Structure formats: structure tokens, C-alpha cells
Amino acid sequence: MNAQNVAQAYAVAKERYAAIGIDTEKVLEQLQNFHLSMHCWQADDVKGFEVQAGALSGGIQSTGNYPGAARNIDELRKDILKAKSLIPGTHRLNLHELYGDFQGKVVDRDEVTPEYFQSWIEWGKENNTKLDFNSSSFSHPKSGNLSLANPDKGIRDFWIEHTKRCRDIADAMGKAQEDPCLMNVWVHDGCKDVSVNHMLYRSLLKDSLDKIFAEDKKYMKDSIEGKVFGIGLESFTVGSHDFYTAYAAKNNKILTIDTGHYHPAEIPGDKVSAVLNFVPELMLHVSRPIRWDSDHVTIMDDNTQDLFSEIVRAGAMDRVHYGLDYFDGAMNRVGAYVIGSRSAQKCMLRALLEPREAMSKYELEDRHFEVLALYEEAKAMPWGAVYDEFCVRNNVPVGDEFIPEIQKYEATVTNLR
Ligand code: RNT
Ligand code: ZN
């Protein structure tokens, strides 16, 4: 892309936006301070590095068999850095417990300690990447259908111990990076078929969470994530949205909104202003559900745009942590990171460029034609020229210029795996 063309197009865009009361320089600054938390699990189809690793379980599934998945920690780190080099801005990395640096040792989930994440902490420092974290209740012989809600005390205690240890790890990460580490708790617990002990399971989950969160931590924050159902656990989900929304509101925890986790007619963005009146902050898992929680690569679809617009309209940009959560094994995985991250960023950019003050004023005056007109016209405003300028300023490829970069990486790195 000709840098001069980008500069010229940006100059025109800047004027067009100024005419509707938007300062694009201010928006570019806001976008620079907008950090995604890139999920580590797109690089290897949610396998992780446990020596004793089993098949992916817990009601989630990665489909596709595209060659070149990362097979070990070095390959995964390399892939993440490649993706980051093609995404403007600075972004965090969201790790799962099963991506520890286990050095060939069998470390069971109830034995994990911060030392297995020391090399990640150093890698994060070296690469200007802050870390977030997740406990891992799936893909383990003790996962079954119930983990933290298991009536068997032995199994329940095992997962309580695991999750407590994960909080210690997150705390160590937060301390080392001098910025809180967000730790998400999602467990798959549920029932495949008709079941009658729902109150029992939910009170056990509540009790387990109370035990896990009993100790205050200084350098980490807890978020909790519900869903509608998992594969093989279709009939009942212990950690439903009602359960976690109530738990988060009562215990002042961060609620996770995974855009793949709702009924198809529900609009995830609509939850922002509802729950932010009761919970301190939100964690996002931006995903793209195709007919189910399929975790396709994030694109600029209506739900993603609406979610980011609702956050900006609510004035809540800094009460939200912006995680991504998809795992597509059917295409170049580094490319998948780049597309999803850039698309999420573009949705945030468009949200910031919306003439919301004018729209809000019209709406409060009951002038609905004007609101709708501005909403529609905003779609055709030259926001793409602003994103291109953002890429130039961040020294990353403009437009589709990242395609040949990924093709080269595929030919010289991932295809050789
Ligand atoms: C599963 C949840 C959960 C996982 C990751 C791997 O439905 O979305 O967040 O995708 O933790
Ligand atoms: Zn999720």
C-alpha cells in the first residue's frame, strides 16, 4: 500500500469525521490504548502441553485438520509473535493452565504451581505482552460431566485445589507484570439427559466457588463464565447465565460474556448495560457462533459490532477486558488470529467513531428519524481510512497486505511441522 495514499485518504476521513463532531486523532489514541487479550488456544486447537494430555473434552470441540498447528511451547510462542507482528497495537496473551511449561514432567492439575509459568512470565516481559489466565477443568480423567459441582467430595476437592492454585499463578503473573492478571473460571459441568438434582449441583458449585474465592488476592482479578450448553451435556448446565450473573452480582466478581454462549436470538451486546449496573467489570470472550457455540473466527458481524458499540455508548471502555475465544482448525491458525484480532479492533474503532452525542441528543428529543439516519450513515463513513492510518502508525501491514506475510510464514515455518 502506498503510504501517501493512506495519508491522503486519512486526511479526507479526518475532515469528514470532524464535520460530525468526531476527533479522529483522539479516537486513534483511544484505539492505541485498547488491548485485546489474545487466547493462546487458537494456535493448537486447545491441546496444551501436558505430558499426560488426553483428548479435548468438556463439551467443546475444535474442528478442521489444517496442517501446521503448534506442537509445543516454542512453536506456539513463535506463532503468537508472528500474529502479533501483523496486528496493530499492544495486546495481552490469555493462557490456560494446560499451557504450562512442564519441562517433560507429569504435573497433575492439583499439583501445578507458579514455577511452571515462570518462563511465560519472562516471555511476557521480553515481548511486552501482559498475561491473563484460565483454570482448566476439561480434557482430564477427572473431568467427567461434573467437576466443581461433583457430589463426590474427592473429585470436587481436586478441582477446588486446582482452581485455587490457578489463582496463585495468576497472582504471580499480575505481580510480575505490575498489572492485574485476569483469571477466568469456566467449568463444563452439566448433564446429557434428564436429571433431577439441579439444586444439589448448583449449591455445590456455589460452595466450591466460595471456597476458591475465600482468599483475597492482590494482583489478580476473578471472572466467571456461564453458557447455555456443551456438546454431550445438552440437557442441563450447572453454570448457567442466571447462576453466574447472580453469583457475580452478589460477590462483586467480573462476569464473562462469551458471544457464543447465548440462545441464537439473544443479543450479547444488550447485556452490557444490564449487568454493569450490578457487577464491577466485564470480561469478553469474542467469538462467532455458527448455529451453535462453534467458535468460528471472529469477524465484523452485527453481534460483535453491537457489543463494542454498547460498551462505548455506556462509557464503560475501561470496565471491560477484551478477550477473544475461538478455535478454528480448518484454516491457517496464525491467519485466524490476525483476522479475528483486527476485526475486533475494527469494531471498536467503528464504535468510537459513532456520532453518539448527536444521536443521544436526538433520541432524548424523540427525534427517531434523525437517530436512524445517523446510524445508517455512520456505516458508510470512511472508517477504513482511519484503520489504515492506525496500521501505518503501528508499522504493520495495511489492508490485505498481511496475506502474503502469512503465506510466507506458512511455507517456511508451519508447513515444515
Ligand atoms: C467454553 C468456554 C471457554 C473455553 C476456553 C477454552 O465454552 O467458552 O471459555 O472456550 O476456556
Ligand atoms: Zn469462552
Side-chain angles (χ1 to χ4, degrees), residues 10-284:
Y10 175 65
V12 174
K14 191 175 169 180
E15 264 183 51
R16 291 276 314 274
Y17 278 108
I20 58 164
I22 305 286
D23 177 352
T24 53
E25 285 300 315
K26 192 176 150 224
V27 167
L28 283 172
E29 206 180 296
Q30 287 174 299
L31 201 59
Q32 201 71 52
N33 292 323
F34 168 68
H35 311 291
L36 294 166
S37 187
M38 289 168 63
H39 54 314
C40 70
W41 51 94
Q42 162 63 45
D44 74 334
D45 308 338
V46 212
K47 290 198 178 76
F49 309 130
E50 285 180 322
V51 175
Q52 72 280 24
L56 181 58
S57 74
I60 53 175
Q61 206 160 62
S62 170
T63 54
N65 204 12
Y66 199 82
R71 295 165 300 179
N72 53 51
I73 204 162
D74 292 334
E75 291 181 353
L76 186 127
R77 285 175 178 164
K78 205 168 170 177
D79 289 357
I80 300 282
L81 289 180
K82 183 70 205 176
K84 280 173 71 107
S85 76
L86 303 172
I87 301 163
T90 45
H91 303 290
R92 306 169 70 97
L93 182 68
N94 196 8
L95 288 169
H96 242 287
E97 185 275 341
L98 34 89
Y99 288 76
D101 189 356
F102 301 116
Q103 312 265 357
K105 264 191 265 169
V106 174
V107 180
D108 207 351
R109 306 269 174 99
D110 65 342
E111 295 166 349
V112 68
T113 54
E115 79 181 83
Y116 297 106
F117 289 86
Q118 195 48 42
S119 75
W120 273 118
I121 290 173
E122 279 152 28
W123 179 91
K125 272 203 180 139
E126 278 159 28
N127 295 289
N128 191 23
T129 300
K130 294 192 170 122
L131 304 173
D132 292 313
F133 200 53
N134 298 262
S135 52
S136 311
S137 70
F138 51 89
S139 311
H140 184 277
K142 288 201 170 78
S143 293
N145 289 355
L146 297 165
S147 62
L148 289 177
N150 203 307
D152 179 326
K153 187 168 182 300
I155 294 187
R156 210 164 65 240
D157 285 348
F158 176 88
W159 292 112
I160 292 173
E161 180 64 23
H162 165 73
T163 319
K164 279 185 174 171
R165 284 167 177 259
C166 285
R167 289 182 88 229
D168 292 339
I169 295 166
D171 206 47
M173 287 174 172
K175 187 171 184 194
Q177 68 198 15
E178 293 172 9
D179 191 70
C181 170
L182 190 292
M183 183 182 131
N184 188 54
V185 175
W186 164 72
V187 293
H188 56 276
D189 296 37
C191 300
K192 180 181 170 73
D193 216 324
V194 172
S195 49
V196 296
N197 289 309
H198 298 175
M199 190 59 160
L200 171 68
Y201 303 140
R202 286 188 170 137
S203 56
L204 289 173
L205 179 56
K206 176 189 173 295
D207 188 61
S208 294
L209 292 173
D210 289 348
K211 292 196 165 93
I212 288 163
F213 297 140
E215 198 185 318
D216 280 337
K217 300 271 173 200
K218 217 167 153 189
Y219 305 102
M220 57 86 66
K221 295 180 175 186
D222 300 293
S223 69
I224 47 182
E225 176 184 13
K227 69 189 288 188
V228 175
F229 77 95
I231 304 171
L233 302 165
E234 290 86 355
S235 295
F236 174 70
T237 304
V238 184
S240 61
H241 295 306
D242 289 341
F243 178 92
Y244 280 122
T245 307
Y247 192 95
K250 190 157 184 191
N251 297 284
N252 213 29
K253 292 292 173 194
I254 298 174
L255 189 69
T256 298
I257 293 182
D258 182 314
T259 56
H261 285 192
Y262 298 92
H263 290 286
E266 266 186 284
I267 300 175
D270 184 49
K271 309 195 177 290
V272 172
S273 55
V275 295
L276 273 183
N277 275 296
F278 303 97
V279 301
E281 294 172 38
L282 292 175
M283 170 67 173
L284 303 184

Side-chain angles (χ1 to χ4, degrees), residues 300-312:
M300 297 183 70
D301 55 11
D302 287 351
N303 268 341
T304 311
Q305 185 58 61
D306 183 66
L307 176 62
F308 285 101
S309 298
E310 277 297 293
I311 291 165
V312 173

Side-chain angles (χ1 to χ4, degrees), residues 354-391:
E354 184 178 70
R356 60 187 175 282
E357 269 178 42
M359 290 167 77
S360 157
K361 190 162 173 283
Y362 277 135
E363 183 179 312
L364 296 173
E365 290 164 357
D366 258 348
R367 301 180 73 92
H368 302 296
F369 142 72
E370 289 86 344
V371 176
L372 193 59
L374 285 177
Y375 180 78
E376 280 305 277
E377 285 307 312
K379 293 178 181 169
M381 286 289 284
W383 58 269
V386 182
Y387 191 73
D388 290 347
E389 174 70 13
F390 185 62
C391 289

Side-chain angles (χ1 to χ4, degrees), residues 322-336:
Y322 299 90
L324 302 172
D325 183 9
Y326 53 82
F327 26 102
D328 189 338
M331 71 171 81
N332 183 298
R333 294 172 184 79
V334 177

